[in-house]
Amino acid sequence: MKTFEPKLIPTLKSYSGKQLVSDIIAGIIVAIIALPLSIALAIASGVSPEKGLYTAIVAGFVIAALGGSRVNISGPTAAFATIVAGIVAEFGISGLTIATIMAGILLVILGLLRCGSLIKYIPCTITTGFTSGIAVTILIGQIKDFLGLTFGPGVAPIETTEKVEAIVHSFGTLNWQALVVGCISLAILIILPKIKYVNKIPPSLIAVIVGIVIVKFTPLTCNTIGDLYTITRTPPMPSLPAFELSTVTKLFSSAVTIAVLAAIESLLSCVVSDGMIGDKHNSNTELIAQGVGNIFSGIFGGIPATGAIARTAANVKNGGRSPIAGMVHAVFLFLILILLMPYAAWIPMPVIAAILFMVAYNMSEWRTFVHLCKTAPLADILVLVLTFVLTVVFDLVVAIAAGIAVSALLFMKRMSDVTEIETKEEDEKVTYLVTGPMFFAASDKMNFVLPAAAKTVTFDLSGVPTMDATAAKNVCALAAKAKKQDAKLTFVGVQSQPEKVLRKNGFTDDAFVK
């Protein structure tokens, strides 16, 4: 498989007019679904509504054209909302642009280094933990608008714990009219997908229309997007902030987090879509495309983007089978931006909150979370809960780093527990029967003691799949003792990796018994 081979190229070789029609229809439907989501996710990320559309348009088109999947749809997703909001609060829009471009560069590098398969090394306990944690942070972040609360002067909480505190202190300002609008919108989002025939219409679009009608033509009033943001239908234009070394250094960890999240979510989306259409994506090409897409998104005023599983599934279900559908989705959103964007000012904020409540619920993976808590070993549950709590209380950088570190330590502990060494002494012959990996975490079991009378020393390594430098050092130390007392040392049943390590440490053919 080539490192970079966009799916668009082989797809066009056998493309037909019939498929073009299907792709156009699918692209338009996905664009209608993406419209309210892109606006809502931009607001949740602390940026103006049109930046969500900029992301879906620019990154969505570039990634579809260059990507390693035939049907993956990319754009803003809920996974980035919390970290993007934090960057904007501390560094402003210019800082977000720098972080997005840096993340794109990192993704391109990952793809060129053929790191697409590394996603399999991230445990599901970590991905489930931080995904559920992100869902909780999104939900908490939207309570203010859903209830129509008014925070006190100077209160602009960023951290989730600060938002909870602000919500509690301002609960007396609850606007029942906003709550009614929010509940009606939430009911539409929940009930509409269950009604036959009507469920073909995107429920978020219906919720937006109903919400606008309620606020425009009934006595119920609440904040709208236009009350809080200046709406523009200006098309995305290229612009670059000043790159200062100090800012780049401060934003590097955030850029790494964005890149990791983009890689995980986009490749998971590709895996899901592969199963739906019977295809196989090119993971390295997809990473490169995601990187280029994020670079362009940053340059054109967007926010981080990645593959969106729900939008990708909608694309497949509506007949999309080539990257053309993703490109059409971006073009159609561009037309909406130019022609209809000013009307987004009418959308009530409780409707946006209700949409994001559903986004949070759908991405929470609570069923998987509960299943893991019931069935997984205690160590895995620890990683799951730790990652979840750290995501909510601190941020993704801390959560992912801690989750991976604890997972690695627990894995090493499990592997060291598997390693067993049995010593058999018979007259002048000593045999060490080793089972399991020989590595540093099991070094306490590799303190080989050589009897003074031993003249023959045998290592039975038939049960050893791997050996590291620490184990080789201990074996070499025993070999040195054996040489001093003129004892012969041999290895039997050695597998390929341990044999390579031993040969590099000076053991020759006569030491190995086949």
Side-chain angles (χ1 to χ4, degrees), residues 117-164:
S117 61
L118 293 182
I119 186 176
K120 64 186 178 184
Y121 295 113
I122 300 178
C124 70
T125 48
I126 292 179
T127 56
T128 302
F130 76 66
T131 301
S132 299
I134 291 169
V136 171
T137 61
I138 290 172
L139 186 147
I140 291 173
Q142 297 308 308
I143 292 175
K144 173 182 178 290
D145 288 328
F146 191 81
L147 300 180
L149 302 179
T150 301
F151 289 170
V155 178
I158 298 173
E159 301 296 335
T160 302
T161 50
E162 295 174 347
K163 291 177 181 177
V164 172

Short mmCIF file of all heavy atoms in Angstrom, two decimals, residues 117-164:
data_model
loop_
_atom_site.label_atom_id
_atom_site.label_comp_id
_atom_site.label_asym_id
_atom_site.label_seq_id
_atom_site.Cartn_x
_atom_site.Cartn_y
_atom_site.Cartn_z
N SER A 117 -1.09 2.90 11.29
CA SER A 117 -1.51 1.68 12.00
C SER A 117 -1.33 1.78 13.51
O SER A 117 -1.73 0.88 14.25
CB SER A 117 -0.70 0.48 11.48
OG SER A 117 0.69 0.68 11.72
N LEU A 118 -0.71 2.87 13.99
CA LEU A 118 -0.42 2.99 15.42
C LEU A 118 -1.66 3.17 16.27
O LEU A 118 -1.60 3.04 17.49
CB LEU A 118 0.54 4.15 15.67
CG LEU A 118 1.95 3.99 15.11
CD1 LEU A 118 2.81 5.19 15.47
CD2 LEU A 118 2.60 2.71 15.63
N ILE A 119 -2.79 3.48 15.64
CA ILE A 119 -4.02 3.66 16.41
C ILE A 119 -4.38 2.40 17.20
O ILE A 119 -5.00 2.47 18.26
CB ILE A 119 -5.18 4.06 15.47
CG1 ILE A 119 -6.44 4.41 16.30
CG2 ILE A 119 -5.49 2.96 14.48
CD1 ILE A 119 -7.59 4.90 15.46
N LYS A 120 -3.95 1.25 16.70
CA LYS A 120 -4.29 -0.01 17.38
C LYS A 120 -3.59 -0.14 18.73
O LYS A 120 -3.95 -1.00 19.54
CB LYS A 120 -3.94 -1.20 16.49
CG LYS A 120 -2.46 -1.36 16.20
CD LYS A 120 -2.20 -2.48 15.21
CE LYS A 120 -0.72 -2.61 14.87
NZ LYS A 120 -0.47 -3.63 13.85
N TYR A 121 -2.58 0.71 18.98
CA TYR A 121 -1.86 0.65 20.25
C TYR A 121 -2.50 1.52 21.33
O TYR A 121 -1.98 1.59 22.44
CB TYR A 121 -0.41 1.07 20.06
CG TYR A 121 0.36 0.12 19.16
CD1 TYR A 121 0.81 0.53 17.92
CD2 TYR A 121 0.62 -1.19 19.55
CE1 TYR A 121 1.51 -0.33 17.08
CE2 TYR A 121 1.30 -2.06 18.72
CZ TYR A 121 1.76 -1.62 17.49
OH TYR A 121 2.43 -2.47 16.66
N ILE A 122 -3.59 2.20 21.01
CA ILE A 122 -4.30 3.00 22.01
C ILE A 122 -5.46 2.18 22.55
O ILE A 122 -6.38 1.83 21.81
CB ILE A 122 -4.80 4.32 21.42
CG1 ILE A 122 -3.62 5.14 20.89
CG2 ILE A 122 -5.57 5.12 22.47
CD1 ILE A 122 -4.02 6.44 20.24
N PRO A 123 -5.46 1.83 23.84
CA PRO A 123 -6.51 0.97 24.40
C PRO A 123 -7.89 1.61 24.30
O PRO A 123 -8.02 2.84 24.38
CB PRO A 123 -6.08 0.81 25.87
CG PRO A 123 -4.66 1.23 25.93
CD PRO A 123 -4.47 2.23 24.84
N CYS A 124 -8.91 0.77 24.17
CA CYS A 124 -10.27 1.29 24.10
C CYS A 124 -10.68 1.94 25.41
O CYS A 124 -11.57 2.80 25.43
CB CYS A 124 -11.25 0.18 23.72
SG CYS A 124 -11.51 -1.05 25.01
N THR A 125 -10.04 1.56 26.51
CA THR A 125 -10.35 2.19 27.80
C THR A 125 -10.00 3.67 27.78
O THR A 125 -10.69 4.50 28.39
CB THR A 125 -9.58 1.50 28.94
OG1 THR A 125 -8.20 1.35 28.57
CG2 THR A 125 -10.17 0.14 29.25
N ILE A 126 -8.92 4.03 27.07
CA ILE A 126 -8.52 5.43 26.98
C ILE A 126 -9.45 6.20 26.04
O ILE A 126 -9.94 7.28 26.38
CB ILE A 126 -7.05 5.56 26.52
CG1 ILE A 126 -6.12 5.03 27.60
CG2 ILE A 126 -6.70 7.01 26.18
CD1 ILE A 126 -4.65 5.09 27.24
N THR A 127 -9.71 5.64 24.85
CA THR A 127 -10.58 6.33 23.89
C THR A 127 -12.00 6.48 24.45
O THR A 127 -12.62 7.54 24.31
CB THR A 127 -10.62 5.60 22.55
OG1 THR A 127 -11.04 4.24 22.75
CG2 THR A 127 -9.25 5.59 21.89
N THR A 128 -12.49 5.44 25.11
CA THR A 128 -13.82 5.52 25.70
C THR A 128 -13.84 6.51 26.86
O THR A 128 -14.78 7.30 27.01
CB THR A 128 -14.28 4.14 26.20
OG1 THR A 128 -14.28 3.21 25.13
CG2 THR A 128 -15.69 4.21 26.80
N GLY A 129 -12.79 6.50 27.66
CA GLY A 129 -12.71 7.40 28.82
C GLY A 129 -12.71 8.86 28.41
O GLY A 129 -13.50 9.66 28.94
N PHE A 130 -11.84 9.22 27.45
CA PHE A 130 -11.80 10.65 27.11
C PHE A 130 -12.99 11.06 26.24
O PHE A 130 -13.43 12.21 26.29
CB PHE A 130 -10.46 11.06 26.50
CG PHE A 130 -10.19 10.68 25.08
CD1 PHE A 130 -10.92 11.19 24.02
CD2 PHE A 130 -9.12 9.84 24.77
CE1 PHE A 130 -10.64 10.85 22.71
CE2 PHE A 130 -8.82 9.50 23.46
CZ PHE A 130 -9.60 10.01 22.43
N THR A 131 -13.53 10.13 25.45
CA THR A 131 -14.74 10.46 24.68
C THR A 131 -15.92 10.74 25.60
O THR A 131 -16.66 11.72 25.41
CB THR A 131 -15.08 9.33 23.71
OG1 THR A 131 -13.99 9.10 22.82
CG2 THR A 131 -16.31 9.67 22.88
N SER A 132 -16.10 9.90 26.60
CA SER A 132 -17.17 10.12 27.57
C SER A 132 -16.93 11.40 28.36
O SER A 132 -17.87 12.15 28.67
CB SER A 132 -17.28 8.93 28.53
OG SER A 132 -17.59 7.75 27.83
N GLY A 133 -15.67 11.66 28.67
CA GLY A 133 -15.32 12.89 29.40
C GLY A 133 -15.63 14.13 28.58
O GLY A 133 -16.16 15.12 29.11
N ILE A 134 -15.31 14.10 27.29
CA ILE A 134 -15.62 15.23 26.40
C ILE A 134 -17.12 15.45 26.35
O ILE A 134 -17.60 16.59 26.37
CB ILE A 134 -15.07 14.97 24.98
CG1 ILE A 134 -13.53 15.01 24.99
CG2 ILE A 134 -15.60 16.00 23.99
CD1 ILE A 134 -12.92 14.51 23.70
N ALA A 135 -17.88 14.36 26.27
CA ALA A 135 -19.34 14.47 26.22
C ALA A 135 -19.87 15.19 27.47
O ALA A 135 -20.75 16.05 27.36
CB ALA A 135 -19.96 13.08 26.11
N VAL A 136 -19.33 14.86 28.62
CA VAL A 136 -19.78 15.51 29.87
C VAL A 136 -19.42 16.99 29.86
O VAL A 136 -20.23 17.85 30.26
CB VAL A 136 -19.15 14.81 31.09
CG1 VAL A 136 -19.41 15.61 32.37
CG2 VAL A 136 -19.72 13.40 31.24
N THR A 137 -18.23 17.32 29.40
CA THR A 137 -17.82 18.73 29.37
C THR A 137 -18.70 19.54 28.41
O THR A 137 -19.03 20.70 28.69
CB THR A 137 -16.35 18.88 28.97
OG1 THR A 137 -16.14 18.35 27.66
CG2 THR A 137 -15.43 18.15 29.94
N ILE A 138 -19.06 18.94 27.27
CA ILE A 138 -19.94 19.63 26.32
C ILE A 138 -21.31 19.85 26.95
O ILE A 138 -21.89 20.94 26.87
CB ILE A 138 -20.07 18.82 25.02
CG1 ILE A 138 -18.75 18.85 24.25
CG2 ILE A 138 -21.19 19.38 24.14
CD1 ILE A 138 -18.73 17.93 23.05
N LEU A 139 -21.85 18.82 27.59
CA LEU A 139 -23.17 18.93 28.22
C LEU A 139 -23.17 20.03 29.27
O LEU A 139 -24.07 20.89 29.29
CB LEU A 139 -23.54 17.59 28.83
CG LEU A 139 -24.96 17.48 29.41
CD1 LEU A 139 -25.49 16.07 29.22
CD2 LEU A 139 -24.99 17.84 30.89
N ILE A 140 -22.17 20.04 30.15
CA ILE A 140 -22.11 21.06 31.20
C ILE A 140 -21.97 22.46 30.59
O ILE A 140 -22.58 23.42 31.06
CB ILE A 140 -20.93 20.76 32.15
CG1 ILE A 140 -21.22 19.48 32.95
CG2 ILE A 140 -20.68 21.94 33.10
CD1 ILE A 140 -20.06 19.00 33.79
N GLY A 141 -21.20 22.55 29.50
CA GLY A 141 -20.98 23.84 28.87
C GLY A 141 -22.23 24.44 28.25
O GLY A 141 -22.29 25.66 28.02
N GLN A 142 -23.25 23.61 27.98
CA GLN A 142 -24.47 24.10 27.32
C GLN A 142 -25.63 24.31 28.28
O GLN A 142 -26.69 24.79 27.87
CB GLN A 142 -24.88 23.11 26.22
CG GLN A 142 -23.87 22.98 25.11
CD GLN A 142 -23.47 24.32 24.52
OE1 GLN A 142 -24.32 25.12 24.13
NE2 GLN A 142 -22.17 24.57 24.45
N ILE A 143 -25.44 23.99 29.55
CA ILE A 143 -26.53 24.17 30.52
C ILE A 143 -26.92 25.64 30.63
O ILE A 143 -28.11 25.98 30.74
CB ILE A 143 -26.11 23.60 31.90
CG1 ILE A 143 -26.00 22.07 31.81
CG2 ILE A 143 -27.11 24.00 32.98
CD1 ILE A 143 -25.50 21.41 33.08
N LYS A 144 -25.95 26.52 30.58
CA LYS A 144 -26.22 27.96 30.70
C LYS A 144 -27.23 28.42 29.65
O LYS A 144 -28.24 29.07 29.96
CB LYS A 144 -24.92 28.75 30.55
CG LYS A 144 -25.12 30.27 30.48
CD LYS A 144 -23.78 30.96 30.29
CE LYS A 144 -23.97 32.47 30.17
NZ LYS A 144 -24.62 32.85 28.90
N ASP A 145 -26.98 28.10 28.38
CA ASP A 145 -27.87 28.55 27.32
C ASP A 145 -29.20 27.79 27.32
O ASP A 145 -30.24 28.36 26.99
CB ASP A 145 -27.19 28.38 25.95
CG ASP A 145 -26.07 29.38 25.75
OD1 ASP A 145 -26.18 30.50 26.26
OD2 ASP A 145 -25.08 29.04 25.08
N PHE A 146 -29.18 26.53 27.71
CA PHE A 146 -30.42 25.75 27.73
C PHE A 146 -31.39 26.30 28.78
O PHE A 146 -32.60 26.34 28.55
CB PHE A 146 -30.10 24.28 28.03
CG PHE A 146 -31.26 23.36 27.82
CD1 PHE A 146 -31.59 22.90 26.56
CD2 PHE A 146 -32.03 22.92 28.89
CE1 PHE A 146 -32.67 22.05 26.35
CE2 PHE A 146 -33.10 22.06 28.71
CZ PHE A 146 -33.42 21.62 27.43
N LEU A 147 -30.85 26.75 29.91
CA LEU A 147 -31.69 27.28 30.99
C LEU A 147 -31.84 28.79 30.90
O LEU A 147 -32.58 29.38 31.71
CB LEU A 147 -31.09 26.91 32.35
CG LEU A 147 -30.95 25.41 32.66
CD1 LEU A 147 -30.33 25.22 34.04
CD2 LEU A 147 -32.28 24.70 32.55
N GLY A 148 -31.12 29.42 29.96
CA GLY A 148 -31.20 30.87 29.83
C GLY A 148 -30.60 31.60 31.01
O GLY A 148 -31.06 32.69 31.39
N LEU A 149 -29.56 31.04 31.63
CA LEU A 149 -28.95 31.65 32.81
C LEU A 149 -28.15 32.90 32.43
O LEU A 149 -27.68 33.04 31.30
CB LEU A 149 -28.02 30.65 33.51
CG LEU A 149 -28.64 29.33 33.97
CD1 LEU A 149 -27.58 28.45 34.63
CD2 LEU A 149 -29.80 29.58 34.93
N THR A 150 -28.00 33.78 33.39
CA THR A 150 -27.17 34.98 33.21
C THR A 150 -26.06 34.96 34.26
O THR A 150 -26.34 35.03 35.47
CB THR A 150 -28.00 36.26 33.38
OG1 THR A 150 -29.07 36.27 32.42
CG2 THR A 150 -27.13 37.50 33.16
N PHE A 151 -24.83 34.82 33.81
CA PHE A 151 -23.70 34.84 34.73
C PHE A 151 -23.42 36.26 35.20
O PHE A 151 -23.72 37.23 34.48
CB PHE A 151 -22.45 34.26 34.08
CG PHE A 151 -22.51 32.76 33.87
CD1 PHE A 151 -21.54 32.11 33.10
CD2 PHE A 151 -23.50 32.00 34.44
CE1 PHE A 151 -21.58 30.75 32.91
CE2 PHE A 151 -23.55 30.62 34.26
CZ PHE A 151 -22.59 29.99 33.48
N GLY A 152 -22.86 36.37 36.37
CA GLY A 152 -22.56 37.68 36.94
C GLY A 152 -21.49 38.41 36.16
O GLY A 152 -20.80 37.83 35.32
N PRO A 153 -21.32 39.72 36.42
CA PRO A 153 -20.29 40.52 35.73
C PRO A 153 -18.89 39.94 35.92
O PRO A 153 -18.50 39.59 37.04
CB PRO A 153 -20.40 41.90 36.41
CG PRO A 153 -21.78 41.92 37.01
CD PRO A 153 -22.07 40.51 37.40
N GLY A 154 -18.17 39.81 34.85
CA GLY A 154 -16.80 39.32 34.90
C GLY A 154 -16.67 37.82 35.04
O GLY A 154 -15.57 37.28 35.09
N VAL A 155 -17.80 37.11 35.08
CA VAL A 155 -17.76 35.65 35.21
C VAL A 155 -17.72 35.03 33.81
O VAL A 155 -18.70 35.09 33.07
CB VAL A 155 -18.99 35.12 35.98
CG1 VAL A 155 -18.95 33.59 36.05
CG2 VAL A 155 -19.04 35.71 37.37
N ALA A 156 -16.57 34.48 33.46
CA ALA A 156 -16.40 33.84 32.14
C ALA A 156 -15.64 32.53 32.34
O ALA A 156 -14.44 32.45 32.05
CB ALA A 156 -15.65 34.76 31.19
N PRO A 157 -16.31 31.53 32.88
CA PRO A 157 -15.62 30.26 33.22
C PRO A 157 -15.10 29.54 31.99
O PRO A 157 -15.74 29.53 30.94
CB PRO A 157 -16.71 29.45 33.91
CG PRO A 157 -18.00 30.00 33.37
CD PRO A 157 -17.75 31.45 33.14
N ILE A 158 -13.92 28.92 32.15
CA ILE A 158 -13.30 28.16 31.07
C ILE A 158 -13.27 26.67 31.43
O ILE A 158 -13.73 25.82 30.67
CB ILE A 158 -11.87 28.66 30.80
CG1 ILE A 158 -11.91 30.13 30.35
CG2 ILE A 158 -11.19 27.79 29.74
CD1 ILE A 158 -10.54 30.75 30.23
N GLU A 159 -12.75 26.35 32.61
CA GLU A 159 -12.68 24.96 33.05
C GLU A 159 -14.07 24.44 33.40
O GLU A 159 -14.96 25.21 33.80
CB GLU A 159 -11.76 24.85 34.28
CG GLU A 159 -10.33 25.33 34.05
CD GLU A 159 -9.60 24.49 33.03
OE1 GLU A 159 -9.97 23.30 32.86
OE2 GLU A 159 -8.66 25.00 32.40
N THR A 160 -14.26 23.15 33.27
CA THR A 160 -15.56 22.54 33.53
C THR A 160 -16.00 22.75 34.97
O THR A 160 -17.17 23.06 35.23
CB THR A 160 -15.51 21.03 33.21
OG1 THR A 160 -15.11 20.86 31.85
CG2 THR A 160 -16.87 20.39 33.41
N THR A 161 -15.08 22.62 35.91
CA THR A 161 -15.43 22.82 37.32
C THR A 161 -15.86 24.26 37.57
O THR A 161 -16.76 24.51 38.37
CB THR A 161 -14.23 22.47 38.22
OG1 THR A 161 -13.05 23.15 37.74
CG2 THR A 161 -13.96 20.97 38.20
N GLU A 162 -15.23 25.21 36.88
CA GLU A 162 -15.62 26.62 37.01
C GLU A 162 -17.02 26.84 36.45
O GLU A 162 -17.80 27.62 37.00
CB GLU A 162 -14.61 27.51 36.26
CG GLU A 162 -13.21 27.50 36.85
CD GLU A 162 -12.23 28.27 36.00
OE1 GLU A 162 -12.56 28.60 34.84
OE2 GLU A 162 -11.12 28.57 36.48
N LYS A 163 -17.35 26.15 35.35
CA LYS A 163 -18.68 26.28 34.75
C LYS A 163 -19.75 25.74 35.69
O LYS A 163 -20.83 26.33 35.83
CB LYS A 163 -18.73 25.54 33.41
CG LYS A 163 -17.90 26.20 32.32
CD LYS A 163 -17.93 25.38 31.03
CE LYS A 163 -17.07 26.04 29.96
NZ LYS A 163 -17.02 25.23 28.72
N VAL A 164 -19.47 24.62 36.34
CA VAL A 164 -20.42 24.05 37.30
C VAL A 164 -20.67 25.03 38.43
O VAL A 164 -21.82 25.28 38.84
CB VAL A 164 -19.90 22.71 37.85
CG1 VAL A 164 -20.79 22.21 38.99
CG2 VAL A 164 -19.83 21.66 36.74
#
